[in-house]
Amino acid sequence: MDLVTTKKHKVTARDGTQLNVFVTLPKNYTNQAIPTIIYASQGRGDASIGDFDYKTQLWANRGYAVIQLNFRNASGGFYNFMQGDVSQWAPALYQDVVDVHKWSIEQGYSEKSKTCLFGEQYAGYIALMAAAKNQSMFKCVAAIGAVSDINNHLFNLEGFTSYEQMLSRWSPSSALQHDYSPISFAND
């Protein structure tokens, strides 16, 4: 398999925040819109700095444009960013996915009707929420190990980091968690 290069770009989100985005295109890319995978990165490891990432290389080898997005909180501001409740930080993050998708279409990389989202763990949650809140925008979403039900995650997993802090700030009966849980948007 031939490896392809990844190029870093800065994308301005709707609120003016600069996002790091890495674009990997297939070897024989011909400056036309192609099916795309928007890869929501956890903000750590090789994928977050544009170095070798086996998933990105595999997808590019199969003909997809791969747009890797590092979230606004990935560059060290995670603690301060997460001090708000989910209604403050979640919308900004899933709107970043939408903004990057629109940017990739404007750049001519992405075929509008053939874009899928991918994320793992926390980034998987954001990918699920971006798709749930923008159902007609994305062809599909794949998430590995993602939180899909915030109440279940916060109140049934006592090993969760900062469990005591979460209990003091969240209510198990809160509609807030329901509104920001991807499972709430699943169709029967």
Side-chain angles (χ1 to χ4, degrees):
M1 178 169 85
D2 292 330
L3 299 180
V4 291
T5 58
T6 297
K7 294 183 180 170
K8 181 178 180 179
H9 298 268
K10 291 278 190 185
V11 175
T12 303
R14 65 186 73 189
D15 67 358
T17 301
Q18 292 290 300
L19 306 171
N20 289 325
V21 172
F22 299 92
V23 177
T24 308
L25 300 168
K27 184 178 181 180
N28 297 320
Y29 177 70
T30 59
N31 293 324
Q32 64 182 22
I34 59 175
T36 300
I37 297 171
I38 296 181
Y39 177 7
S41 173
Q42 285 286 91
R44 61 181 186 263
D46 293 334
S48 68
I49 58 174
D51 281 350
F52 175 80
D53 176 75
Y54 69 92
K55 292 182 288 295
T56 300
Q57 291 294 324
L58 174 68
W59 295 327
N61 181 269
R62 300 301 186 264
Y64 294 94
V66 182
I67 314 294
Q68 292 168 267
L69 163 62
N70 278 351
F71 292 114
R72 57 183 62 216
N73 61 329
S75 60
F78 183 76
Y79 180 79
N80 290 333
F81 184 74
M82 296 297 283
Q83 290 309 298
D85 66 37
V86 68
S87 69
Q88 294 168 319
W89 55 258
L93 297 179
Y94 60 71
Q95 288 167 359
D96 289 350
V97 173
V98 171
D99 293 345
V100 166
H101 174 55
K102 290 177 180 176
W103 173 85
S104 69
I105 292 167
E106 290 167 5
Q107 299 302 307
Y109 299 131
S110 300
E111 194 171 335
K112 186 176 183 176
S113 65
K114 294 185 179 178
T115 298
C116 291
L117 303 177
F118 173 78
E120 297 175 89
Q121 300 163 351
Y122 167 70
Y125 162 77
I126 297 302
L128 288 170
M129 282 303 294
K133 292 287 193 173
N134 303 279
Q135 293 180 13
S136 64
M137 187 173 282
F138 302 104
K139 183 80 170 171
C140 65
V141 61
I144 298 173
V147 172
S148 60
D149 183 340
I150 293 177
N151 271 342
N152 182 56
H153 187 70
L154 291 177
F155 297 103
N156 295 330
L157 300 174
E158 291 185 21
F160 178 65
T161 305
S162 303
Y163 182 71
E164 290 76 21
Q165 179 187 12
M166 289 298 153
L167 284 178
S168 70
R169 295 174 62 203
W170 297 77
S171 164
S173 62
S174 173
L176 187 63
Q177 287 97 268
H178 178 269
D179 294 343
Y180 290 94
S181 291
I183 197 167
S184 302
F185 297 89
N187 295 326
D188 293 74

